[in-house]
């Protein structure tokens, strides 16, 4: 790569071999015009085949489709008159300006447990999706091609190669909630499956590929069997397995209060990072600003902590998603109720909170977005112009989209 020959609307920094873009332009070669916006999309504007009033949208995935548009997956809660909670999965396809191209509802699901994410990944020109105990193949127009049932409430999926993927979920075993992991082929045959856990509640959240196998991020109250330690209440747990599912090591992270994991990602420096939230200020957590803090932890390939930092203010703050930049820094998305310490401004109630930190977790910049209502951020994605497209809910019923530039600003 030679930026001197490729910069379109910018200047080449020859020492760094990168383009410094003129205002209003982004991308590696400064050839993409920067777009920023805030937008509310109301579900009530779209026909609902189930004719129910939906609330509390939770967004599980945000991916780029092969045509350069974006697919957003949402799970809508509807509590029936008999008290049973049903979740209604929805896919929304939007363009780079946040305009809805199509919106599709899918068959509702009543979970075994309380929270069920609706997650999607791109598979060639189709979409692989999980909701409840179902794995679905969906075409580029949002139509279901096939679906397959599994014995667990599915929580995450990773495509290993073009013929295989790995699934994780929660399952009842020995009268207790355990962690279920399976490798399946695209014909839906289970290649192998296994479970992990202890004698208390163990709940899987994420899986990622590692050099020697897989990393599985969980929340757990256990301190026995596969979970060999607990600092108090719920801890975050990392499990490392080989490619056949044999357990290599287990590590717990947290303090004597409540912690939960909200994202898991490998880095450009052969380490692993995860985000979450914490009420503690002891053991692995060196500080707490008050109530719930956001938490970022970086560990080495054997799970030992390289560094960790808490973020937030005196009220409730948490991270929900993470993107690693090409310079090994992190951009973090979360929600905040604070307006002190690390948070400079609050629009009212809970706001979206976008934070960039360097490779050691020090804050580079942070911004909040919102209104007088509560805005809860769930997922985000980096865009071609170098900015970020954030998604979550507003007023507990509508989609709130924010598109920023590379510095987390609205122009």
């Amino acid at each position: 790569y030679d930026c001197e020959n490729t910069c379109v609307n910018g200047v080449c920094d020859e020492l760094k071999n990168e383009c410094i873009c003129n205002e209003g332009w982004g991308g590696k070669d400064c050839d993409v015009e920067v777009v920023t916006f805030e937008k509310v999309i109301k579900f009530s504007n779209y026909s609902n085949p189930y004719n129910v009033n939906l609330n509390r949208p939770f967004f599980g995935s945000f991916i780029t489709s092969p045509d350069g548009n974006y697919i957003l997956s949402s799970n809508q809660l509807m509590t029936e008159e008999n008290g049973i909670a049903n979740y209604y999965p929805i896919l929304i396809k939007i363009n780079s300006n946040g305009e809805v191209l199509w919106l599709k509802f899918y068959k509702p699901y009543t979970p075994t447990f309380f929270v069920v994410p609706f997650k999607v990944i791109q598979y060639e020109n189709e979409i692989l999706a999980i909701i409840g105990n179902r794995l679905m193949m969906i075409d580029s127009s949002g139509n279901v091609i096939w679906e397959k049932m599994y014995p667990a409430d599915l929580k995450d999926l990773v495509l290993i190669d073009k013929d295989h993927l790995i699934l994780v979920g929660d399952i009842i075993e020995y009268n207790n909630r355990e962690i279920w992991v399976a490798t399946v082929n695209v014909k839906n045959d289970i290649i192998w499956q296994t479970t992990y856990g202890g004698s208390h509640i163990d709940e899987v959240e994420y899986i990622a590929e590692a050099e020697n196998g897989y990393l599985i991020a969980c929340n757990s109250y256990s301190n026995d069997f596969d979970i060999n330690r607990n600092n108090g209440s719920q801890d975050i747990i990392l499990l490392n397995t080989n490619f056949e599912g044999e357990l290599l090591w287990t590590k717990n992270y947290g303090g004597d209060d409540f912690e939960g994991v909200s994202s898991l990602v490998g880095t450009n420096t052969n380490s692993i990072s995860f985000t979450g939230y914490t009420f503690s200020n002891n053991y692995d957590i060196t500080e707490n600003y008050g109530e719930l803090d956001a938490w970022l932890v970086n560990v080495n390939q054997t799970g030992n902590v390289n560094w960790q930092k808490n973020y937030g203010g005196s009220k409730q703050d948490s991270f929900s998603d993470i993107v690693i930049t090409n310079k090994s820094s992190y951009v973090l998305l979360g929600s905040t109720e604070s307006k002190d310490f690390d948070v400079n401004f609050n629009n009212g109630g809970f706001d979206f909170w976008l934070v960039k930190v360097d490779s050691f977790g020090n804050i580079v910049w942070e911004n909040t977005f919102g209104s007088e209502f509560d805005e809860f951020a769930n997922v985000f994605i980096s865009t071609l112009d170098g900015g970020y497209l954030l998604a979550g809910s507003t007023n507990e019923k509508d989609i709130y989209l924010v598109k920023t530039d590379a510095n987390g600003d609205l122009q």
Side-chain angles (χ1 to χ4, degrees), residues 241-253:
T241 75
N242 64 17
F243 291 107
E244 288 73 43
E246 297 173 344
L247 191 60
L248 302 178
W249 54 256
T250 305
K251 297 280 187 180
N252 75 304
Y253 309 90

Side-chain angles (χ1 to χ4, degrees), residues 155-224:
K155 303 291 279 294
D156 202 7
L157 71 167
V158 170
L159 192 65
I160 303 170
D161 56 43
K162 67 181 184 66
D163 296 317
H164 300 87
L165 64 154
I166 190 160
L167 303 172
V168 294
D170 298 328
I171 193 170
I172 292 292
E173 193 171 77
Y174 309 114
N175 295 317
N176 193 29
R177 190 190 309 185
E178 303 289 348
I179 299 155
W180 178 83
V181 183
T183 295
V184 303
N185 60 27
V186 292
K187 296 180 180 179
N188 302 316
D189 302 316
I190 294 177
I191 308 302
W192 59 259
Q193 60 180 319
T194 189
T195 58
Y196 312 99
S199 59
H200 297 285
I201 295 174
D202 310 298
E203 183 179 22
V204 67
E205 297 294 345
Y206 304 96
I207 186 166
E209 288 191 82
E211 289 183 355
N212 59 350
Y214 304 105
L215 283 165
I216 303 166
C218 321
N219 298 319
S220 176
Y221 286 89
S222 297
N223 61 355
D224 51 13

Side-chain angles (χ1 to χ4, degrees), residues 256-260 276-282 285 287-295 310-318 335-341 349-350:
D256 63 4
D257 210 319
F258 189 91
E259 281 76 42
Y277 46 87
T278 175
F279 283 96
S280 301
N281 63 354
N282 53 15
I285 299 99
E287 192 174 11
N288 185 288
Y289 294 134
E291 294 192 27
L292 184 70
D293 274 7
W295 197 29
N310 66 302
Y311 305 85
S314 57
K315 292 191 175 183
Q316 296 192 48
D317 320 280
S318 62
S335 304
T336 178
E337 194 185 16
S338 301
K339 55 180 178 181
D340 50 12
F341 292 96
F350 282 91

